[in-house]
Structure formats: C-alpha cells, structure tokens
Amino acid sequence: MFEVKPYPELSWSLSRHKTMLSCLRKYAYDYYVSHNGWLSSADTLAKQAYRLKKMTNLEMHFGSVVHDLIYQTIQRVLKSQSIMGEQEFIDEVRHHLNRGFIESTKKEHLWMNRPKHYTMLHEIYYSQTDTLPETKVRKITDRLQKTVANFYSSKTFTDVRNKEQMKFMESETFRFLKTDEAKVYIVMDLVYKDLTNGKWIIVDWKTGKSSDEDRNQLALYALYLQHKHGIESIDDIIIRNEYLVDGTHVEHQLTEQDLINVQHLYQISMEQMKLYLEDAEKNQPLPIEQFPMQDDPRVCARCNYQELCFPS
C-alpha cells in the first residue's frame, strides 16, 4: 500500500548532483518542495513546485520523444516485429512535437491539473505567447532529419539487427545501486552482451552535443553493471556514446581509476547534500530560505521556477 511520507527518501543521481551545483534553490524545489505535489491534499506551494518541475523545453522534449521512439523501435526488432521506416519515424517525432505544442498553447488547464500527463513548454509558458522562437524551431527541424538518419545507420542499431550474436538485457525504467546512505539511481538506454567477444556494451543515445560529464555518467553505469552481473574485470565492459546529431559514436574503455573517481564524486556530493538537511535521518531539508538562489540571470532565464523566485 502506498504510504504518504512528509519527506522524500534520500537518493543520489548525477542529474541531482548537477542540479545542486547549478542552483541550490532549484535543487530544493526539485527534490523537496515539490514532494507530494501530485496529491490532491498537498498544499498550494507543493502543487505549484511539482507542476513547474514537470515543465520541459523544446530541446528536452525533442530528446525525450526521440529516446522513446528509439526504445520502441529496438523492442520491435528484438520481438521480430515490423519497424517504421526513416520517414515514418520522422513523421512520428513531428506528431509528438506538434501535440506538445498544442497541449502547451490550448490545453494549459489540463496540464495545470495533471502535469505528469500533459506537456508544457517553457518557451510558451514564460513568454505568454502561442509561438516558439524561430531560431529554436529551425534548430530542431534541422536536427530531426540528421538524428533519425544517423540512428538507423548507427553502430548500435546495426548490432540490434544482428541480434542473434547479441544478448539483450531487460530495460527497466529505474535501476539503482543501494549504498549505506542512499539509493543511487541509474537510467541506461541500452545494455547488451556481444556473444562473439564476450564483451558487455552499455549504450547512451545523445541528441545533443558531447559533454565533459559523459565519462562520469558512463563510469557510473559500468559500476552498476559490474555489481549487477558480477563482472570481474572492467575490461569486459565497453561504453558507447551514440551522438545522433553528427552521426558519430565514441567508445570508452574505462579504467579502475574511472570507477574510483565516480565513487569519490558520489561521496563528496552526498556530504554536500547533507549540509542542507535539518534532520538527516528523516531527510528533512532546511527552510527554503537557506537554499541560496542563483545570481546568474542566464541560468535563471532557463529555469522552470522563475515564477517562484521572482513573483510578479
């Protein structure tokens, strides 16, 4: 039976860590103030924070739609079912993007009541207009054709189609490592074992640019896989980033030092998070005023919580 708790369970993920580094006030809204905001009995602030947390933007929405359709396509291949052609895939992405635009402009009342089930685009919500910036629309339109073509010709999708030589793992929505302090959440796009060389392959699809943080993310995935499947040597795990915009893939052979580094990052990050707890055992946060606001207006301009930080 679902139990309503006054404070969320303490957990850790790379995205949570990055949020803490970017803005502590946003961190508080994301992980504490919005807690229970989906309940009809929640207070007004929790509901508002939860609703704003669920807002997305055009680039993120595009990435999410593409990831979902890639997942569906791969599942169909693995079940020996027919799959969409490239143009059909492109049309399906456009359909979802158009639906997100319509929900943002014409169905705001539905999103207000059920933000998890409807789309609200940041660009629409905060501009209070029914139009998207032309530069962003052109960027996504240009990216769409390339992304889909590069997915179909990618190294990973070639492996998927050659599925007799590969053993695919069940893709769970949430995976986590349990530590003494907290659950460490990991979301992997695809995991399989190449039976010809005995190597495990972890794939991360990227619809944006490469980042310096990619390696830490991949090391965390490798650490999880090693624990989950009792893999003795890190040399048996290959990490692959598929960069779909430019059609390249990068494979990393991680070292034990990479795993040590990501564990060290986790420990330092957890210590920092605990500084903002009034009661560590309950995971009760300090008052919201003790989470400093970001002072870079460029960061604030992209944030979902503008109306909470700067009420008009």
Side-chain angles (χ1 to χ4, degrees):
M1 187 172 174
F2 178 71
E3 181 186 356
V4 177
K5 296 182 178 180
Y7 307 109
E9 182 182 19
L10 180 61
S11 63
W12 191 87
S13 65
L14 272 173
S15 60
R16 181 172 182 150
H17 170 70
K18 287 193 285 186
T19 299
M20 179 179 67
L21 294 184
S22 69
C23 176
L24 280 161
R25 184 63 61 92
K26 181 180 190 299
Y27 172 79
Y29 286 137
D30 265 359
Y31 295 101
Y32 292 103
V33 180
S34 62
H35 179 62
N36 287 337
W38 55 87
L39 299 174
S40 57
S41 58
D43 63 46
T44 303
L45 178 58
K47 286 181 179 179
Q48 186 180 9
Y50 177 71
R51 190 163 57 238
L52 295 173
K53 179 182 178 178
K54 291 298 176 186
M55 191 187 300
T56 187
N57 61 48
L58 192 55
E59 287 95 339
M60 287 174 64
H61 188 46
F62 171 74
S64 178
V65 168
V66 170
H67 271 79
D68 287 347
L69 290 174
I70 285 175
Y71 173 79
Q72 292 170 28
T73 302
I74 288 174
Q75 291 306 304
R76 292 189 67 84
V77 173
L78 298 181
K79 293 173 185 173
S80 300
Q81 297 172 342
S82 62
I83 62 169
M84 295 182 286
E86 287 185 35
Q87 189 55 50
E88 196 179 350
F89 193 114
I90 289 169
D91 292 342
E92 193 66 16
V93 174
R94 285 198 181 115
H95 166 72
H96 284 282
L97 293 178
N98 287 334
R99 189 173 73 183
F101 175 75
I102 289 167
E103 288 177 3
S104 298
T105 54
K106 295 182 167 51
K107 300 183 179 180
E108 183 179 355
H109 61 290
L110 297 176
W111 172 78
M112 292 285 286
N113 292 317
R114 301 180 70 200
K116 187 178 179 181
H117 301 281
Y118 292 90
T119 301
M120 174 55 68
L121 295 171
H122 185 284
E123 295 88 347
I124 298 291
Y125 188 78
Y126 279 115
S127 70
Q128 290 296 299
T129 67
D130 289 348
T131 57
L132 289 165
E134 281 187 29
T135 51
K136 280 199 172 190
V137 173
R138 281 199 301 270
K139 177 181 169 185
I140 295 299
T141 303
D142 179 58
R143 190 173 283 188
L144 173 57
Q145 207 95 24
K146 295 175 186 173
T147 296
V148 175
N150 290 333
F151 161 64
Y152 277 86
S153 62
S154 66
K155 162 71 174 160
T156 299
F157 196 51
T158 302
D159 279 359
V160 170
R161 286 176 146 164
N162 185 25
K163 58 183 184 292
E164 287 75 18
Q165 304 302 318
M166 309 292 163
K167 178 186 175 186
F168 290 85
M169 302 296 106
E170 275 298 313
S171 181
E172 300 143 352
T173 307
F174 286 101
R175 297 181 170 93
F176 60 84
L177 276 169
K178 192 82 171 84
T179 72
D180 292 338
E181 295 177 294
K183 286 180 179 176
V184 179
Y185 281 104
I186 295 142
V187 182
M188 293 188 279
D189 291 336
L190 186 65
V191 183
Y192 59 100
K193 189 174 185 180
D194 187 334
L195 300 177
T196 57
N197 60 21
K199 299 281 188 183
W200 292 82
I201 299 163
I202 301 173
V203 180
D204 199 48
W205 305 104
K206 295 289 186 187
T207 55
K209 295 177 180 177
S210 63
S211 161
D212 292 339
E213 295 158 349
D214 290 351
R215 195 173 183 92
N216 273 336
Q217 182 182 21
L218 299 170
L220 191 60
Y221 294 169
L223 193 62
Y224 167 85
L225 197 66
Q226 204 174 17
H227 278 263
K228 177 82 172 175
H229 295 282
I231 301 167
E232 288 186 17
S233 174
I234 194 67
D235 294 338
D236 292 331
I237 301 175
I238 295 172
I239 305 289
R240 182 185 301 148
N241 278 132
E242 289 276 9
Y243 295 104
L244 296 177
V245 176
D246 59 12
T248 60
H249 72 267
V250 178
E251 291 189 349
H252 304 267
Q253 185 63 67
L254 299 175
T255 65
E256 291 294 339
Q257 189 60 48
D258 286 311
L259 302 189
I260 292 168
N261 290 346
V262 78
Q263 289 178 79
H264 187 54
L265 171 69
Y266 161 76
Q267 288 162 355
I268 292 172
S269 180
M270 282 297 296
E271 287 171 14
Q272 189 74 16
M273 287 177 184
K274 287 179 178 178
L275 295 177
Y276 293 92
L277 295 178
E278 194 164 285
D279 186 325
E281 196 171 320
K282 294 179 182 176
N283 193 33
Q284 177 185 355
L286 294 171
I288 187 70
E289 297 77 21
Q290 294 193 42
F291 289 82
M293 290 171 61
Q294 170 63 251
D295 55 9
D296 184 342
R298 294 169 299 178
V299 175
C300 295
R302 298 190 298 269
C303 182
N304 289 8
Y305 299 108
Q306 291 176 38
E307 73 180 28
L308 286 176
C309 290
F310 311 107
S312 55

